[in-house]
Amino acid sequence: EAQVTQNPRYLITVTGKKLTVTCSQNMNHEYMSWYRQDPGLGLRQIYYSMNVEVTDKGDVPEGYKVSRKEKRNFPLILESPSPNQTSLYFCASSLSGRQGLYEQYFGPGTRLTVT
Amino acid sequence: SQQGEEDPQALSIQEGENATMNCSYKTSINNLQWYRQNSGRGLVHLILIRSNEREKHSGRLRVTLDTSKKSSSLLITASRAADTASYFCATLNAGGTSYGKLTFGQGTILTVHP
């Protein structure tokens, strides 16, 4: 089954404790991206990757890191989480071609609480 | 205002009625996409319309794009209670250094009453 998986689905952590949220897709998609969703603010893009070893900042990259060493994986790293990073996080992937990006496939989301 | 801004923020209708949601954006785009989200779950893709297209249909959905006005609309015909969800538009930048940047609007919350 074609899908995007994220782990963990729920996480409660404390300020300053490094964490990684994993994202994996099995559709051989070139493009992958991370978003955070907050009430009243919609989805905001954190980082995106056009392909392996190619990443770029979205609208809200501060406090986050990403890497794309393999095509299928795109982990999101919070080196020193703070309470303002409490949010619902989504990973997504899509094909990328000459006509641009195609529809995004979203993971189920990771609900992160930083105390 | 943000790129990919939706209007109205909330829409409440009766089953069987049509629902229209609008999206406005500011920069040149490669394509515009509409998504649906049920209560905190992952987003599901509905329709993608490219900058050189003016209208697309998918079942009960109709999307229009007016690049001169930098706006798009999503029409859901003969709505059902199961259409109750949040609907988002997302714009993909046309190119340049920010190509690949996908910007979502804040969404329209649609409630369809049985």
Side-chain angles (χ1 to χ4, degrees):
Chain A
E1 179 190 353
Q3 60 182 352
V4 177
T5 56
Q6 294 178 228
N7 283 293
R9 294 288 313 281
Y10 303 90
L11 179 60
I12 300 174
T13 189
V14 296
T15 299
K17 186 176 181 181
K18 181 179 178 180
L19 67 92
T20 300
V21 185
T22 64
C23 173
S24 183
Q25 49 94 5
N26 63 359
M27 295 167 280
N28 202 35
H29 286 168
E30 295 86 5
Y31 183 90
M32 296 186 76
S33 183
W34 276 102
Y35 304 88
R36 60 178 289 174
Q37 185 175 27
D38 303 288
L41 296 177
L43 275 84
R44 293 178 293 168
Q45 192 174 42
I46 303 171
Y47 270 96
Y48 61 94
S49 170
M50 298 298 293
N51 214 323
V52 175
E53 301 290 3
V54 181
T55 62
D56 212 340
K57 296 177 181 178
D59 288 319
V60 288
E62 296 79 18
Y64 304 95
K65 282 177 57 177
V66 293
S67 67
R68 186 91 181 273
K69 293 185 171 58
E70 305 166 282
K71 199 171 187 180
R72 63 182 295 127
N73 297 322
F74 191 44
L76 179 69
I77 303 157
L78 284 72
E79 295 269 2
S80 183
S82 62
N84 64 14
Q85 293 178 297
T86 292
S87 187
L88 179 58
Y89 291 86
F90 289 102
C91 179
S93 72
S94 75
L95 287 171
S96 175
R98 287 172 56 187
Q99 287 191 312
L101 299 183
Y102 293 81
E103 62 268 26
Q104 303 281 297
Y105 288 78
F106 279 81
T110 295
R111 190 167 292 280
L112 172 65
T113 302
V114 184
T115 61
Chain B
S1 58
Q2 294 184 18
Q3 178 90 336
E5 197 167 281
E6 282 111 25
D7 169 59
Q9 291 187 340
L11 182 59
S12 181
I13 59 174
Q14 295 294 128
E15 230 175 8
E17 294 180 340
N18 295 343
T20 300
M21 289 160 262
N22 303 297
C23 171
S24 61
Y25 58 92
K26 292 187 171 181
T27 61
S28 294
I29 62 170
N30 175 281
N31 67 52
L32 186 146
Q33 305 170 27
W34 283 92
Y35 291 84
R36 165 195 168 124
Q37 182 183 37
N38 287 91
S39 192
R41 297 192 175 183
L43 280 74
V44 175
H45 176 260
L46 297 175
I47 289 186
L48 181 154
I49 185 165
R50 301 201 181 278
S51 59
N52 60 354
E53 298 175 311
R54 292 296 166 257
E55 188 171 311
K56 281 189 93 168
H57 297 256
S58 177
R60 293 183 296 113
L61 307 180
R62 181 173 80 100
V63 167
T64 61
L65 178 65
D66 187 335
T67 53
S68 66
K69 294 181 180 177
K70 290 187 168 57
S71 68
S72 173
S73 67
L74 170 67
L75 168 67
I76 304 174
T77 59
S79 62
R80 305 166 182 168
D83 294 329
T84 294
S86 293
Y87 292 82
F88 295 89
C89 69
T91 53
L92 176 68
N93 282 11
T97 56
S98 60
Y99 180 70
K101 194 162 173 291
L102 199 62
T103 305
F104 281 79
Q106 295 179 9
T108 293
I109 301 172
L110 173 65
T111 304
V112 182
H113 299 282

